[in-house]
């Protein structure tokens, strides 16, 4: 007897053996049990998820007579009666399968429908199964519409398609539609383990995971790949041989690339890509593996969960998730996802892979590039992390814990009124209220708490703004109400003085109006606020580190110099309460509110609302 492939040998014979389609099994099972049977069913889904299998099981359920020949319609066909056996072997006269991919014309459909006038010969129902029904022509669809809408009571239609969008709505409206979903890799892996146990084939868990991921939700593809892997491995499934057969990239290379990107090590990235070239691993499969790992890392960073014990990669993934910042994870995921489309455009796909990976390092802020180290150098990295500086708006008794602000300064040199760290000098503790405790800032690379510094160089104190001296132009903003001591709230930092805000707003408006700044330089000017002016230097505060590019800062300095302000810009990350962008947004919101008030007060509009029960659609009013 010839060998039967696994996909055919282990095709489910009843609903209980169906895997991964519980929603379809439950609906059909209840319909068969309660005898609420529709005359036409449409099964949709990708290849290899069980559309034809469900059709055959449904035909057996409708025509099963039981082992004793006295059974009726059932949700659990016996599999031993003549009807069940004939349907499984394709010899049942009243069950007809039509391949619409090769029989797509109106003549073939009319020939099938001519059989509908005759009652079943062997079974209880005639079942017409049309596979890939979307391939039928428009005239063929029109020919079957009337019969599909009102078939004889003994006739059931079962349609299957992988592209339901191509099926006319006139056909869809006549069918009960079920969408068979792609199967999860874990579901496929568990079923493969069950099949291999029945076949008495030894398999490593890593090999099963590779096969389950490569199947992409199709159980038939998974079983076909398993057949190929058994032949390739000589009767065994080992991870190394399966990886070689699939051409999948060794996870060690992917981990090396991710760790090098987290540490900002471009040399290791180039060397690893060259190793992939020498070993023959594909660039597309490399990016595919990276996309999968980055997606799991993003979930681990946003949702705290314990590592899965059955997956050896999970522990390493959790560790790397603490090293790579979440924003870098999202950026790298997007770059790898879109980079797969660039591989075919480049003369050399490995050169394109190198460019895709190095793009993250090119877009990383310069200050972050200088502080990034290898993950093994966590103690050295903690020593150079940006520290937190807290300032209290007014002197007085001890206030609730302030909000820490992580400050990163670019090209910040000491000057008058500044310390050797480039920050404004603070008055001695004697002029302040009580000192507050600083919460450690979020680390850029390592989430482990930093070691205690040798010298308390950033001991935070609350300062009196009047005594801060002329070197720092800041003013307090309104403090929120202080919560009870049992639940203290963080007090905000002092905001920018109105005169500095007005000056910076007018200056930025002038630069934008004359097209002196564009693109990222314009965004830097609009999103930042001027917090301090010193001789020859201005300090800008920006809401995010992505705007702190040295080239962007230099171009803004050049635009300011051309406008008559030859100053050096010092950028720092922190909350921005008053920026040109926020002022423009507030002005636009005010104009919109005035327009809405003007419209509501219009007599004609009021008469329409009162007499005809009209209403103003939210968001439909625009200020001219």
């Amino acid at each position: 007897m010839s060998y039967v492939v696994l996909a055919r040998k282990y095709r489910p014979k009843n609903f209980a053996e169906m895997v991964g389609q519980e929603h379809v099994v439950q609906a059909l099972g209840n319909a068969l049990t309660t005898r609420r049977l529709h005359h036409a069913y449409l099964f949709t889904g990708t290849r290899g998820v069980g559309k034809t299998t469900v059709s055959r099981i449904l035909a057996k359920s409708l025509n099963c007579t039981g082992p004793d020949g006295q059974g009726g319609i059932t949700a659990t066909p016996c599999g031993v009666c003549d009807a069940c056996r004939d349907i499984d072997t394709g010899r049942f006269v009243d069950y007809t399968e039509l391949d619409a991919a090769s029989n797509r014309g109106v003549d073939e459909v009319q020939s099938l429908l001519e059989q509908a006038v005759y009652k079943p010969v062997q079974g209880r129902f005639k079942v017409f199964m049309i596979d890939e029904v979307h391939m039928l022509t428009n005239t063929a669809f029109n020919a079957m519409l009337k019969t599909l809408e009102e078939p004889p009571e003994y006739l059931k239609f079962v349609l299957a398609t992988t592209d339901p969008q191509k099926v006319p709505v006139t056909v869809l409206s006549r069918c009960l539609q079920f969408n068979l979903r792609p199967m999860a890799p874990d579901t496929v892996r568990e079923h493969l383990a069950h099949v291999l146990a029945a076949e008495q084939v030894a398999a490593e868990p890593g090999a099963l995971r590779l096969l389950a991921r490569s199947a992409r939700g199709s159980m038939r593809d998974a079983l076909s790949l398993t057949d190929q892997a058994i032949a390739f491995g000589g009767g065994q499934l080992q991870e190394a041989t399966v990886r070689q057969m699939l051409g999948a990239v060794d996870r060690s290379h992917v981990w090396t690339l991710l760790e090098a990107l987290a540490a900002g090590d471009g040399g290791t990235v180039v060397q690893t890509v060259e190793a992939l070239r020498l070993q023959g691993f594909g660039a597309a499969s490399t990016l595919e593996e990276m996309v999968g790992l980055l997606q799991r890392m993003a979930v681990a960073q946003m949702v705290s969960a314990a590592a899965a014990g059955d997956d050896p990669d999970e522990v390493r993934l959790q560790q790397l998730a603490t090293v790579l910042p979440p924003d870098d994870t999202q950026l790298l995921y997007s770059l790898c996802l879109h980079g797969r489309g660039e591989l075919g455009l480049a003369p050399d796909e490995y050169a394109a892979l190198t460019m895709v990976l190095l793009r993250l390092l090119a877009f990383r802020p310069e200050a972050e590039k200088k502080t990034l180290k290898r993950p093994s150098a966590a103690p050295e990295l903690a020593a150079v992390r940006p520290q937190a500086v807290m300032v209290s708006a007014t002197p007085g008794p001890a206030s609730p814990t302030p909000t820490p602000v992580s400050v990163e300064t670019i090209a910040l040199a000491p000057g008058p009124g500044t310390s050797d760290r480039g920050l404004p000098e603070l008055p001695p503790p004697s002029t302040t209220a009580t000192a507050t405790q600083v919460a450690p800032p979020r680390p850029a690379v390592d989430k482990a708490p930093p070691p205690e510094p040798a010298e308390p160089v950033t001991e935070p104190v609350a300062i009196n703004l009047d005594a801060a001296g002329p070197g720092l132009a800041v003013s307090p903003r309104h403090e929120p109400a202080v919560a009870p001591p049992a639940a203290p709230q963080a007090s905000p930092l002092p905001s920018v003085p109105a005169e500095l805000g007005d000056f910076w707003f007018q200056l930025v408006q002038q630069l934008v109006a004359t097209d002196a700044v564009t693109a990222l330089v314009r965004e830097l000017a609009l999103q930042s606020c001027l917090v301090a002016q010193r001789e020859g230097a201005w300090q800008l505060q920006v809401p995010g580190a992505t705007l702190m590019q040295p080239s962007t800062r230099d171009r803004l300095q050049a635009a300011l110099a051309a406008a008559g302000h030859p100053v050096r810009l010092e950028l720092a990350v922190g909350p921005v309460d008053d920026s040109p962008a926020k002022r423009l947004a507030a002005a636009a919101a005010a104009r919109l509110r005035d327009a809405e008030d003007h419209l509501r007060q219009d007599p004609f509009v009021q008469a329409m609302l009162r007499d005809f029960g009209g209403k103003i659609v939210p968001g439909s009013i625009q200020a001219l």
Side-chain angles (χ1 to χ4, degrees):
M1 181 178 179
S2 61
Y3 174 72
V4 180
V5 298
L6 297 179
R8 293 179 57 190
K9 183 177 181 180
Y10 291 95
R11 181 191 291 270
K13 299 296 191 298
N14 51 61
F15 288 126
E17 297 178 3
M18 287 291 298
V19 177
Q21 308 298 342
E22 289 77 9
H23 61 294
V24 176
V25 170
Q26 179 179 350
L28 293 179
N30 293 338
L32 290 167
T33 301
T34 59
R35 303 295 193 272
R36 300 180 66 89
L37 301 174
H38 204 272
H39 61 269
Y41 296 89
L42 175 64
F43 298 116
T44 65
T46 186
R47 74 278 178 273
V49 293
K51 300 184 295 296
T52 304
T53 299
V54 172
S55 172
R56 293 181 181 179
I57 296 176
L58 179 61
K60 289 193 294 184
S61 299
L62 294 172
N63 292 286
C64 179
T65 59
D68 55 357
Q70 303 298 322
I73 298 175
T74 177
T76 56
C78 65
V80 297
C81 65
D82 293 339
C84 292
R85 291 200 309 269
D86 290 346
I87 291 175
D88 285 336
T89 56
R91 297 194 304 266
F92 194 65
V93 177
D94 297 320
Y95 177 71
T96 305
E97 287 189 4
L98 178 68
D99 179 20
S102 55
N103 302 278
R104 56 193 307 265
V106 63
D107 294 336
E108 289 83 357
V109 173
Q110 287 180 343
S111 176
L112 177 67
L113 295 179
E114 288 175 356
Q115 305 176 25
V117 298
Y118 302 105
K119 288 188 176 182
V121 177
Q122 286 182 268
R124 195 177 294 112
F125 291 93
K126 273 182 175 291
V127 180
F128 290 167
M129 194 276 179
I130 305 178
D131 199 6
E132 300 298 338
V133 69
H134 67 275
M135 300 292 290
L136 292 178
T137 62
N138 290 332
T139 53
F141 275 122
N142 294 332
M144 64 182 295
L145 283 180
K146 190 60 179 177
T147 307
L148 184 63
E149 182 178 8
E150 296 179 355
E153 61 181 6
Y154 52 80
L155 179 60
K156 302 294 181 184
F157 280 94
V158 179
L159 312 180
T161 177
T162 57
D163 195 356
Q165 285 77 18
K166 294 183 179 180
V167 179
V169 293
T170 52
V171 174
L172 295 177
S173 63
R174 289 167 166 80
C175 299
L176 203 62
Q177 184 172 346
F178 294 93
N179 182 27
L180 280 72
R181 305 165 185 162
M183 301 179 196
D186 290 341
T187 303
V188 177
R189 178 174 56 83
E190 292 174 0
H191 186 67
L192 289 182
H194 172 74
V195 170
L196 293 175
E199 289 288 310
Q200 297 181 355
V201 175
E204 295 182 355
L208 295 182
R209 280 193 291 269
L210 285 173
L211 293 172
R213 286 200 302 265
S214 300
R216 298 184 181 276
S218 171
M219 186 63 73
R220 182 173 62 220
D221 289 0
L223 291 171
S224 299
L225 288 174
T226 303
D227 260 327
Q228 182 181 354
I230 293 174
F232 187 82
Q236 293 183 347
L237 290 182
Q238 298 179 350
E239 183 176 1
T241 57
V242 171
R243 190 180 297 277
Q244 182 181 359
M245 181 196 75
L246 297 175
V249 178
D250 190 352
R251 277 282 177 92
S252 61
H253 295 295
V254 179
W255 289 118
T256 302
L257 287 173
L258 290 177
E259 291 171 354
L261 291 171
D265 189 356
T268 302
V269 171
V270 176
Q271 294 174 4
T272 306
V273 173
E274 189 62 26
L276 293 174
R277 181 201 300 271
L278 296 177
Q279 297 181 24
F281 292 125
S285 60
T286 303
L287 290 178
E288 182 178 347
E289 286 285 341
M290 293 186 67
V291 165
L293 288 178
L294 288 168
Q295 184 269 336
R296 294 167 60 189
M297 284 175 54
V299 173
Q301 289 170 342
M302 296 296 106
V303 181
S304 299
D310 58 343
D311 190 354
D313 293 338
E314 192 70 21
V315 176
R316 194 170 184 180
L317 185 140
Q318 294 283 348
Q319 294 174 351
L320 188 57
T322 63
V323 174
L324 193 65
D327 51 350
D328 284 358
T329 302
Q330 297 291 337
L331 176 60
L332 186 56
Y333 175 85
S334 179
L335 292 176
C336 293
L337 195 63
H338 292 86
R340 297 173 63 184
E342 300 178 9
L343 298 179
L345 303 177
D348 182 4
E349 67 173 6
Y350 295 97
L353 175 62
T354 304
M355 292 300 297
V356 169
L357 299 179
L358 293 181
R359 199 169 298 161
L360 173 70
L361 305 182
F363 288 148
R364 179 171 287 162
E366 190 67 26
E368 188 178 343
K369 294 178 187 177
K370 294 179 180 179
T371 58
L372 283 174
K373 304 293 181 184
R374 293 297 301 230
S376 58
E380 293 81 355
L381 176 64
V384 296
R385 288 192 184 117
Q387 300 297 326
V389 178
M390 298 189 184
V391 183
S392 176
T394 56
S399 60
T401 304
T403 303
V405 181
S406 179
V407 179
E408 298 181 44
T409 306
I410 295 180
L412 192 58
T418 61
S419 65
D420 57 353
R421 293 174 59 84
L423 299 174
E425 291 183 348
L426 301 178
S430 59
T431 64
T432 68
T434 58
T436 57
Q437 183 179 0
V438 176
R442 182 186 67 82
V445 177
D446 193 357
K447 288 188 178 180
E452 293 294 334
E455 297 180 2
V457 294
T458 57
E459 182 64 26
V461 292
I463 69 171
N464 189 334
L465 297 176
D466 297 333
L472 179 63
V474 293
S475 66
R477 64 181 178 185
H478 295 291
E479 292 282 341
V482 178
Q489 296 181 356
S491 61
L493 294 178
S495 61
V496 182
E499 57 271 15
L500 281 182
D502 296 339
F503 169 75
W504 182 244
F505 176 75
Q506 296 174 2
L507 181 57
V508 172
Q509 286 288 89
Q510 175 186 350
L511 296 177
V512 173
T514 59
D515 289 333
V517 291
T518 57
L520 288 178
V521 183
R522 179 181 57 196
E523 289 302 314
L524 173 60
L526 289 173
Q527 301 292 340
S528 61
C529 65
L530 181 61
V531 297
Q533 287 179 316
R534 292 190 295 276
E535 182 178 358
W538 291 359
Q539 183 177 354
L540 297 181
Q541 191 151 302
V542 295
T546 55
L547 295 173
M548 296 177 59
Q549 300 288 343
S551 58
T552 307
R553 178 207 59 199
D554 294 342
R555 291 164 61 188
L556 182 57
Q557 285 182 171
L560 291 174
H565 301 280
V567 295
R568 176 171 51 86
L569 294 181
E570 301 170 352
L571 306 183
V573 177
V576 175
D577 295 331
D578 184 11
S579 66
K582 289 191 175 182
R583 290 196 177 196
L584 293 175
R591 289 196 303 272
L592 181 60
R593 287 194 299 270
D594 293 341
E596 292 175 349
D597 295 340
H598 178 76
L599 185 62
R600 290 191 179 93
Q601 294 172 5
D602 186 89
F604 176 74
V605 175
Q606 292 180 354
M608 294 289 290
L609 297 177
R610 180 183 62 254
D611 298 339
F612 298 98
K615 66 176 181 179
I616 299 176
V617 178
S620 62
I621 302 176
Q622 296 183 0
L624 300 179

